[in-house]
Amino acid sequence: MPHTPEEKKKVLARVKRVRGQLEALELALERGDDCSPVLQQISAIRGAVNGLMAGVLESHLREEFKSVNSTAESRDASIDDAVSLIRTYLR
């Protein structure tokens, strides 16, 4: 989750762009547009969602690893959490 108002604003802007792309895809499918532009739109949506995921993940990682004075156990838990998130992201 974004931790600053600026990060939140950026993430919400990305979500709104993705929503617009999805609505455009829906219209293209309803109109029966050719496959090539539809596939191109799907690819653009995938890229937008990947960008959204990367931004939220970056924010999360920066917040998690900000505290240098944490215990070894706490650092290990943070690393495990980060690895789990990244593995989920890369699926």
Side-chain angles (χ1 to χ4, degrees), residues 3-54:
H3 298 283
T4 67
E6 183 179 312
E7 288 175 342
K8 185 176 181 178
K9 185 177 178 180
K10 286 180 183 179
V11 167
L12 287 173
R14 282 183 180 265
V15 168
K16 289 176 184 179
R17 281 194 298 271
V18 169
R19 182 183 306 131
Q21 289 175 312
L22 284 169
E23 288 171 357
L25 174 62
E26 182 179 11
L27 288 174
L29 292 170
E30 287 174 350
R31 287 190 308 257
D33 288 0
D34 291 336
C35 288
S36 182
V38 168
L39 290 169
Q40 202 168 27
Q41 185 66 29
I42 293 169
S43 178
I45 292 167
R46 181 181 58 197
V49 170
N50 283 343
L52 173 64
M53 180 68 170

Side-chain angles (χ1 to χ4, degrees), residues 68-84:
V68 178
N69 297 329
S70 58
T71 65
E73 185 176 309
S74 174
R75 280 192 307 270
D76 287 345
S78 291
I79 290 169
D80 290 343
D81 182 43
V83 168
S84 176

Side-chain angles (χ1 to χ4, degrees), residues 1 3 7 58-67:
M1 181 66 189
H3 298 283
E7 288 175 342
E58 178 183 349
S59 174
H60 174 72
L61 293 175
R62 288 185 185 281
E63 188 65 28
E64 278 293 312
F65 293 107
K66 198 180 269 187
S67 61

